[in-house]
Amino acid sequence: MDNINSENNLTKKYQPLAVAAGFGSILGSGIIVGMSSTITVWQNGLNLTNGQVGVISGALTFAIAIGGLITGLVTKAFGLVRSFNWMNFIYAIGAIICVFAPNYPVLLIGAIIAGLASGLDLPISLTMISHDAPDDQTSSKLVASTQIFWQVGIFASYGAAFLVSRLAGATGARVVFACLAVVALITWAWRTFSSKFRNFHIEGDKRMRAAEAKNHSSEQVSVKNVLFGKNKKKYLSMLLCIMIFYICWNLLANTFGQFQTFMLVQARASQTFATGAGLVLNIIAVFATMAFAKFSGGKYRNIFFVIGMILQFLAMFSLAILSHDLWPIVVAIGCYNIGNQVAGEAIYKVWTQEAFPVEIRSSLQGFLSGLSRFICGLFAFVTPMLVVQSVIKTTMFGFSALIIVAFIFGFTMTRLEDKYHIRK
């Protein structure tokens, strides 16, 4: 009981750091959803062509991916703490450029700047948590909890876009991006000027130096030394498992929204029902994420993972074989939204932060996130062909197979954690 109380007290002590990092997740999902939900408003307000709309959406996606891929270079050049503190200031500059954009080129520049900053901030924020957290269990809980903020960003962006949808011209879209800029500036100020965070960073540095002295390690820790050094079998096998799991899972997560809308429409659901069902299912997903965050550092985490993957498989497989009646589709989508949260992005973040030395976590997390998003961006070119009614059942069977592959590599990762005593 004393151990449980001690763990809870540590989690509570460092929770503000997770919230400050989580604000980066709000901004990350906010820029994606904010742009997608207002792109037609931008198009009408700035007289954009369909080609220009496509370029802006694609540029944002690939800017986020590139931001993730260059995370290691940025943290090496400027330091982890400085990057954590200032990244959202750069994001705010991009968002403000969008707010005042008079034409297509300026809007594109703003989207690229905000996208790069967003892609950089996520892996940096998670690494900052694991750097400052006093132990692995606390770190796992805090990292997992940041996924809740991603969902909050989605809700907030859709809500803001809905509230301003009747404003003339591009005004509504400008308001949405002004809100993102304000949140980014608040996050920058909080991270940069908080004395509590400054103390957390100092304590984290001391623990790292103490650990290095205890291990008598004088060798510089780098991605190359870790992945291709004396423990290369250990680290390469875990990297491969995490990478394939996340790419497979993310391909489905990034494209299923389009299939969800299509199937509800085919089942003759009204727009009101589809919107309401989506809202309820997303609220359920948030609670599923909260449940996972609670157990992410405990012994039941792998059970959550297996149940989550089973739910996702059953959802895709049932959509492939069941009729087009409305309620079976709603139940299947609900199962997917629950499974998606307890065996998806959150567990990927925790695995990446646990499996590798803290010095290279931001580099590897950024690489994996950037690579996955880049592949998803390419996959988006063929997504419209997969939504066609004549092939959608085949697509669902394909998604079922994708989940099986993700499960195999994800489950292998849980075995590797046990084999190499990653979870102490």
Side-chain angles (χ1 to χ4, degrees):
M1 180 64 77
D2 289 339
N3 287 337
I4 294 175
N5 289 334
S6 177
E7 290 173 15
N8 290 336
N9 289 337
L10 282 174
T11 303
K12 187 178 294 186
K13 176 182 177 181
Y14 285 87
Q15 191 64 50
L17 180 65
V19 174
F23 269 52
S25 293
I26 290 177
L27 293 166
S29 61
I31 191 68
I32 296 170
V33 175
M35 183 61 80
S36 65
S37 61
T38 62
I39 193 64
T40 55
V41 178
W42 285 117
Q43 184 175 20
N44 294 330
L46 299 182
N47 296 315
L48 305 179
T49 66
N50 290 335
Q52 290 172 332
V53 166
V55 170
I56 290 172
S57 298
L60 176 62
T61 298
F62 287 112
I64 295 171
I66 292 169
L69 291 171
I70 64 173
T71 300
L73 296 174
V74 172
T75 53
K76 185 177 181 180
F78 299 102
L80 179 62
V81 173
R82 188 176 297 168
S83 300
F84 174 72
N85 289 346
W86 283 87
M87 200 51 61
N88 286 295
F89 187 82
I90 298 172
Y91 179 107
I93 292 173
I96 291 170
I97 290 173
C98 291
V99 171
F100 294 103
N103 51 39
Y104 162 71
V106 178
L107 179 63
L108 179 62
I109 291 170
I112 291 173
I113 293 173
L116 282 170
S118 175
L120 281 159
D121 186 70
L122 178 62
I124 289 172
S125 296
L126 298 182
T127 302
M128 195 76 260
I129 291 174
S130 61
H131 172 276
D132 289 356
D135 56 62
D136 290 340
Q137 284 192 325
T138 304
S139 174
S140 296
K141 289 182 179 180
L142 296 176
V143 167
S145 71
T146 62
Q147 186 62 23
I148 299 170
F149 293 91
W150 185 270
Q151 295 294 126
V152 171
I154 294 174
F155 284 140
S157 295
Y158 273 128
F162 174 76
L163 291 175
V164 301
S165 59
R166 295 190 177 184
L167 295 179
T171 304
R174 297 184 195 280
V175 171
V176 171
F177 277 77
C179 292
L180 292 173
V182 169
V183 174
L185 289 172
I186 291 172
T187 307
W188 161 72
W190 188 17
R191 292 180 181 184
T192 303
F193 300 110
S194 169
S195 58
K196 177 180 287 189
F197 294 165
R198 197 174 299 117
N199 290 333
F200 285 165
H201 303 333
I202 293 171
E203 292 169 6
D205 284 336
K206 289 180 179 178
R207 278 190 293 269
M208 282 189 62
R209 287 195 293 269
E212 290 171 359
K214 183 178 179 181
N215 296 329
H216 306 290
S217 176
S218 58
E219 183 182 12
Q220 182 181 6
V221 179
S222 67
V223 173
K224 181 180 178 181
N225 290 342
V226 171
L227 295 183
F228 302 101
K230 61 181 179 180
N231 292 317
K232 65 179 181 180
K233 181 180 178 181
K234 167 186 174 181
Y235 289 116
L236 283 174
S237 60
M238 288 192 293
L239 178 64
L240 179 67
C241 285
I242 296 172
M243 180 172 64
I244 295 180
F245 165 80
Y246 187 57
I247 289 173
C248 290
W249 174 87
N250 214 13
L251 280 173
L252 176 56
N254 274 272
T255 56
F256 187 68
Q258 295 184 45
F259 292 96
Q260 177 175 312
T261 302
F262 177 83
M263 285 180 292
L264 288 173
V265 170
Q266 288 298 309
R268 302 185 186 280
S270 66
Q271 182 64 40
T272 302
F273 181 89
T275 305
L279 180 61
V280 172
L281 292 171
N282 274 293
I283 291 173
I284 292 172
V286 170
F287 281 105
T289 305
M290 293 171 66
F292 174 78
K294 181 177 178 62
F295 293 101
S296 59
K299 59 183 179 180
Y300 298 113
R301 185 176 83 193
N302 291 343
I303 295 176
F304 268 73
F305 169 74
V306 173
I307 293 173
M309 294 305 293
I310 290 173
L311 285 174
Q312 290 178 80
F313 173 78
L314 290 176
M316 293 300 105
F317 193 72
S318 62
L319 288 172
I321 64 174
L322 292 178
S323 66
H324 289 294
D325 291 337
L326 179 60
W327 284 108
I329 291 175
V330 172
V331 172
I333 293 173
C335 288
Y336 171 76
N337 281 347
I338 294 172
N340 174 275
Q341 297 302 315
V342 299
E345 183 95 21
I347 189 69
Y348 146 74
K349 291 175 179 176
V350 172
W351 280 340
T352 310
Q353 294 299 313
E354 285 182 346
F356 305 101
V358 68
E359 293 90 344
I360 66 167
R361 286 173 186 170
S362 62
S363 298
L364 290 181
Q365 186 107 51
F367 166 74
L368 292 171
S369 297
L371 177 64
S372 176
R373 192 166 293 280
F374 185 81
I375 292 173
C376 289
L378 295 177
F379 190 71
F381 288 110
V382 301
T383 298
M385 292 180 281
L386 302 178
V387 189
V388 178
Q389 188 171 8
S390 60
V391 301
I392 196 164
K393 281 186 175 292
T394 303
T395 300
M396 291 303 148
F397 280 123
F399 282 165
S400 301
L402 208 59
I403 292 171
I404 292 173
V405 174
F407 174 74
I408 290 171
F409 282 90
F411 188 76
T412 303
M413 179 61 196
T414 66
R415 299 300 92 196
L416 289 173
E417 284 197 308
D418 291 338
K419 177 181 178 179
Y420 294 116
H421 308 290
I422 300 297
R423 301 178 65 197
K424 299 175 182 178

